[in-house]
Amino acid sequence: MHIQVQCCGIILMLLLLFFYLRQRRVSLKTEQAFLRAFCVTLACIVFDILSIVVIARKEELPNLFVELICKSYLATLLGVALCALSYICVDVYSTKKHYKKEVLKYQLSALVGMLFIYILPIHYQFGEDGKTVLYTYGPSVISTYIFAVGLLIVIFYLMKKEKNKISPRRREAVGLWMGIWLCASLIQFLNNELLIVGYACSLGMVVLYLKLENPETNLDRQTGLFNHGAMVQYAKEFYKKEQGFSLLTIVFERSFHKHMHTDTRRMVRMEMIEFLLKIPDAFVFKNAEDEILIVFKDQEAAEDRMAGIFERFEKGWGKEGEFHVKPYWLYMPDSRIVNNVEDMLYLIRYIRQNNNEFSENHYIYIDADKAAAMYQEKETAQLLVNAIEKDWVEVYYQPIYSTREHRFISAEALVRIKDEEGKIVPPGVFIDVAEKNGMILRLGEMVFEKVCRFVKENAVEQYGLHYIEVNLSVVQCAYEQLAEDYIKIMEKYNVNPDFINLEITESASLSAKKTLLNNMKNLIKYGIRFSLDDFGTGQSNLNYIVDMPVDIVKFDKDMINAYFENGKAKYVMDAAMHMVHGMDLEIVSEGIETKEQYQTMKELGISYIQGYYFSKPLSEKQFLEFIAAAQREAMN
Ligand code: C2E
Ligand code: MG
Ligand code: MG
């Protein structure tokens, strides 16, 4: 009896099973598919050995029994092919219903194949002695080949057709698995005495295990928690089934344990992980270096456990609870407020970025409103990407009137973008998002380039304009290359720096202020002048005007409105005005909407007025027409 090869196969399979069961697993659908394939393969090898044994004792055993064993081996071969097929279907069919329906089709075909195998006759090829059976053949064996090849064709067809849906690793693993199987079948078909198909099945399992199903690939080496990849797969299955789960995210900002010694930090970390691993009814994933996700199957399970988790963290770590780490907690009771895993991770990032929302107790409740705000931001970011890519960025100009010269002497450049339908989107919608994701650098540069081109092409000085004011975001101000880039743009368009005035606003951080001052120094040296924008909004600091080398201070619309509405606010603005004038700086009053407001500002001695009273921001063409008309009127 030649069963050595098959026995090696069994040993290989048992070894595999040992390694597989030893590891913690997330219980993914592919894991179940793997276990199914494993059992069928094991059965296949066992029947392979049994069939060799019963054939050897054919004389002593009932014919029907021998036939049954041999045919069962053939049937398990079809089973292996069916397993491979359902394995890739996990990726191909996105909903559970669709998956079940398609797999049922293949299961039925395999069942028909098995029926043929059991019904049709099988023959035995005897050796020269007329007693030893060498191999089996006949209609039953042929129908095995036909159905197995049929299933293999479907597998390779699906892998090609649904290439984009199946992960490349899975395609490669299943391809290899079936490739080995096919080669072995071919060799056995050509050389019937070489019984290697059963062993090839076990090799296929090894490939699958190594490439895909090694549970260790789902673990984070450092902590032993499940890793980001496992989390994505696990959560994906919930979204596929349209089933919700609850998520508790723990965020460990670096500053929380900066004060700890490295060894202490390590000890606290291990203690914490040990605790997290023991949380019942939950899977714990290390999503990022500073982020742990705890997934509960539903809200009830989450809320049952959360109090205990918080309590444990309150208690402190170390022998006597002397080490305290106070992380941020994000709790999302129902994952269905977002549509998929990618959005869920985006939502966590979004909430973390806006972490000024974290209250005293370091806890945020993530509800549908937050998800809606996240989607809104995502949409805006996409709008920005499109606008920048397709150059749907436009600059509008709002004229600024000089109360001394009684004419328009400058304008503020204000950005707008267009959406897919060509509708104009105002900056209030997208500037914050652009600042947050850094796109403001590119956007600001585009605006500046457009202003330079506009100044040069239209020779704005012929309209009596002295300069154009261009807004700079705090993010741009804190960008070290800013001065260099802007000077390059002006050189490209050969623009006289006298025509440019850059508006800055107050930067919150000290380092940003340092970079800004450096940028300003270089740009002033080149000939550009600056304004301080938004003066009088919540964040204004009088010292800022002292520190910043600006020529103009722009009084914000809010401050102007307060001046007209609130008796006390009058004194604030009076004082600010005296101070600014005392420093020999000019003032622009923004947001002047009525004649009364204009008259008052003029009487107060404010030199420049900007507001709807004169004009709203206008497109390039409208602006030039407006200025030309105003110029003609002034001459008459
Ligand atoms: P800002 O720099 O203070 O610009 C003045 C804003 O007040 C403009 O809004 C303008 O349309 C509006 N405004 C002017 N006069 C009146 C008025 O009489 N009544 C009312 N209700 N509003 C008036 P806009 O164009 O929507 O811009 C809003 C803000 O977006 C700007 O405030 C500025 O901070 C920012 N922004 C605009 N363009 C740019 C840009 O190119 N780069 C950067 N970084 N920020 C920009
Ligand atoms: Mg401005
Ligand atoms: Mg302003």
Side-chain angles (χ1 to χ4, degrees):
M1 276 190 296
H2 299 288
I3 56 166
Q4 293 91 331
V5 185
Q6 283 75 3
C7 287
C8 287
I10 294 252
I11 293 169
L12 210 57
M13 294 288 284
L14 293 178
L15 213 59
L16 214 64
L17 191 65
F18 170 73
F19 283 120
Y20 187 77
L21 294 181
R22 237 172 42 135
Q23 300 284 358
R24 286 188 316 113
R25 276 155 288 121
V26 212
S27 87
L28 298 167
K29 208 149 130 198
T30 55
E31 286 178 8
Q32 291 159 17
F34 175 73
L35 272 178
R36 239 187 342 260
F38 185 92
C39 294
V40 175
T41 306
L42 197 61
C44 175
I45 307 173
V46 169
F47 274 115
D48 193 5
I49 296 175
L50 282 180
S51 58
I52 296 171
V53 172
V54 292
I55 286 173
R57 295 172 189 271
K58 198 172 173 298
E59 300 300 307
E60 308 147 35
L61 294 165
N63 222 350
L64 195 68
F65 178 71
V66 176
E67 215 170 88
L68 197 71
I69 296 287
C70 291
K71 287 182 174 179
S72 295
Y73 163 61
L74 296 177
T76 54
L77 282 176
L78 278 194
V80 172
L82 180 66
C83 285
L85 186 52
S86 27
Y87 198 75
I88 51 167
C89 287
V90 174
D91 271 358
V92 174
Y93 303 108
S94 54
T95 62
K96 195 175 171 182
K97 217 168 107 192
H98 201 183
Y99 170 82
K100 273 199 162 163
K101 195 176 135 212
E102 291 300 319
V103 170
L104 185 72
K105 222 165 59 189
Y106 303 131
Q107 280 169 339
L108 286 177
S109 344
L111 211 67
V112 172
M114 288 176 194
L115 265 177
F116 273 101
I117 292 173
Y118 282 109
I119 292 168
L120 294 173
I122 192 165
H123 305 305
Y124 308 96
Q125 177 65 49
F126 295 92
E128 279 168 9
D129 61 359
K131 269 182 170 182
T132 325
V133 176
L134 292 180
Y135 57 87
T136 53
Y137 68 97
S140 178
V141 179
I142 292 192
S143 63
T144 313
Y145 278 115
I146 292 174
F147 278 90
V149 167
L151 289 172
L152 276 173
I153 289 174
V154 180
I155 290 172
F156 286 109
Y157 169 75
L158 272 182
M159 286 209 291
K160 193 156 167 40
K161 186 172 154 244
E162 308 287 356
K163 203 171 155 201
N164 299 333
K165 291 190 189 160
I166 310 170
S167 81
R169 279 171 72 89
R170 193 182 316 277
R171 264 203 334 260
E172 202 182 301
V174 175
L176 260 171
W177 175 19
M178 289 296 103
I180 293 174
W181 205 61
L182 206 63
C183 283
S185 310
L186 218 66
I187 294 171
Q188 189 166 325
F189 185 73
L190 298 173
N191 187 347
N192 289 309
E193 291 168 38
L194 267 180
L195 305 175
I196 53 169
V197 171
Y199 183 68
C201 285
S202 66
L203 280 187
M205 279 290 109
V206 174
V207 169
L208 208 58
Y209 176 85
L210 291 180
K211 287 241 40 119
L212 276 182
E213 296 298 343
N214 182 355
E216 219 167 303
T217 56
N218 285 332
L219 294 179
D220 173 61
R221 275 176 188 269
Q222 211 179 15
T223 58
L225 298 172
F226 292 118
N227 58 20
H228 168 81
M231 193 279 302
V232 171
Q233 288 184 64
Y234 183 67
K236 237 181 202 166
E237 288 188 0
F238 276 87
Y239 282 106
K240 222 176 196 178
K241 287 186 280 187
E242 293 172 16
Q243 191 184 334
F245 58 85
S246 291
L247 178 74
L248 181 66
T249 305
I250 318 181
V251 178
F252 299 95
E253 297 253 300
R254 215 189 289 166
S255 54
F256 295 156
H257 32 72
K258 211 168 57 189
H259 57 280
M260 283 185 196
H261 188 269
T262 318
D263 288 342
T264 318
R265 200 159 40 203
R266 207 169 288 150
M267 182 268 291
V268 167
R269 194 192 174 110
M270 285 329 291
E271 213 178 311
M272 217 179 263
I273 288 160
E274 218 172 282
F275 166 72
L276 292 171
L277 282 172
K278 284 190 198 135
I279 300 175
D281 312 325
F283 282 105
V284 185
F285 302 88
K286 179 175 155 192
N287 190 42
E289 206 40 54
D290 58 352
E291 199 176 87
I292 284 177
L293 307 187
I294 309 178
V295 176
F296 298 94
K297 69 175 193 313
D298 55 33
Q299 194 168 349
E300 205 186 326
E303 281 158 27
D304 272 355
R305 303 287 166 207
M306 267 163 56
I309 298 174
F310 294 154
E311 231 169 72
R312 179 64 195 87
F313 274 76
E314 280 290 311
K315 209 175 112 197
W317 310 93
K319 273 199 194 91
E320 273 141 35
E322 65 274 39
F323 301 111
H324 286 270
V325 177
K326 201 165 179 233
Y328 289 132
W329 302 94
L330 312 179
Y331 175 49
M332 179 166 70
D334 191 346
S335 59
R336 283 167 296 190
I337 56 170
V338 286
N339 304 330
N340 49 47
V341 197
E342 290 76 27
D343 290 353
M344 184 188 92
L345 293 172
Y346 193 99
L347 181 59
I348 294 172
R349 237 180 310 143
Y350 168 81
I351 304 263
R352 286 190 58 178
Q353 270 177 1
N354 297 295
N355 70 357
N356 45 351
E357 277 186 56
F358 281 109
S359 52
E360 260 300 282
N361 58 7
H362 281 214
Y363 173 83
I364 283 200
Y365 185 84
I366 307 179
D367 56 9
D369 286 351
K370 291 211 167 60
M374 177 277 290
Y375 276 120
Q376 180 70 46
E377 181 183 299
K378 216 173 162 195
E379 210 177 286
T380 307
Q382 193 51 49
L383 205 70
L384 266 165
V385 170
N386 278 351
I388 289 175
E389 249 175 34
K390 297 177 181 154
D391 196 11
W392 290 344
V393 176
E394 277 194 30
V395 180
Y396 274 43
Y397 294 86
Q398 187 177 31
I400 297 175
Y401 188 79
S402 161
T403 52
R404 264 183 259 140
E405 294 184 41
H406 306 289
R407 62 186 191 85
F408 295 101
I409 50 92
S410 68
E412 177 172 2
L414 293 156
V415 65
R416 268 94 184 100
I417 59 174
K418 281 194 286 190
D419 65 10
E420 295 277 349
E421 286 134 32
K423 241 179 42 216
I424 295 284
V425 185
V429 174
F430 58 83
I431 291 286
D432 278 356
V433 178
E435 285 184 338
K436 240 198 277 175
N437 65 17
M439 271 192 263
I440 193 73
L441 292 177
R442 179 72 199 110
L443 186 70
E445 216 175 78
M446 283 175 89
V447 169
F448 191 63
E449 190 152 354
K450 282 175 195 288
V451 172
C452 288
R453 186 192 43 73
F454 176 71
V455 166
K456 199 67 203 169
E457 272 178 10
N458 299 289
V460 292
E461 64 277 15
Q462 63 174 322
Y463 296 93
L465 298 177
H466 298 331
Y467 57 87
I468 303 288
E469 292 182 4
V470 189
N471 287 283
L472 278 184
S473 139
V474 282
V475 177
Q476 287 179 285
C477 294
Y479 176 56
E480 292 185 359
Q481 289 277 315
L482 178 87
E484 201 180 305
D485 290 356
Y486 271 39
I487 291 171
K488 261 191 209 143
I489 295 174
M490 281 187 290
E491 279 171 352
K492 178 175 163 192
Y493 289 92
N494 197 17
V495 168
N496 181 346
D498 285 347
F499 286 121
I500 303 292
N501 179 300
L502 295 176
E503 292 188 6
I504 56 158
T505 46
E506 210 163 308
S507 308
S509 83
L510 214 63
S511 73
K513 191 173 161 187
K514 245 174 141 176
T515 317
L516 164 64
L517 274 168
N518 207 27
N519 277 324
M520 285 177 88
K521 200 179 84 196
N522 291 333
L523 287 163
I524 290 170
K525 203 157 85 190
Y526 188 72
I528 281 183
R529 277 159 307 133
F530 283 86
S531 301
L532 181 66
D533 201 1
D534 297 344
F535 186 78
T537 55
Q539 304 152 24
S540 307
N541 179 347
L542 292 182
N543 280 338
Y544 216 76
I545 309 184
V546 180
D547 293 345
M548 289 294 148
V550 293
D551 292 325
I552 299 172
V553 177
K554 300 192 76 172
F555 281 10
D556 191 76
K557 184 172 172 292
D558 284 355
M559 183 152 103
I560 308 287
N561 285 347
Y563 180 86
F564 288 101
E565 285 160 14
N566 179 333
K568 280 191 202 158
K570 269 194 170 49
Y571 296 106
V572 177
M573 199 169 105
D574 277 342
M577 225 178 60
H578 278 109
M579 188 187 76
V580 175
H581 279 154
M583 282 191 260
D584 221 12
L585 306 177
E586 300 287 5
I587 297 173
V588 176
S589 276
E590 281 189 302
I592 300 300
E593 291 184 345
T594 64
K595 190 164 186 182
E596 183 213 347
Q597 288 179 334
Y598 163 67
Q599 287 293 356
T600 314
M601 288 300 128
K602 199 172 135 186
E603 278 156 24
L604 280 172
I606 287 183
S607 345
Y608 304 119
I609 308 286
Q610 179 184 353
Y612 291 178
Y613 172 63
F614 289 112
S615 167
K616 286 196 170 181
L618 302 167
S619 67
E620 283 188 9
K621 190 165 161 273
Q622 288 171 326
F623 172 71
L624 290 175
E625 282 166 7
F626 176 89
I627 289 288
Q631 211 180 17
R632 277 196 303 273
E633 211 172 285
M635 280 186 206
N636 290 332

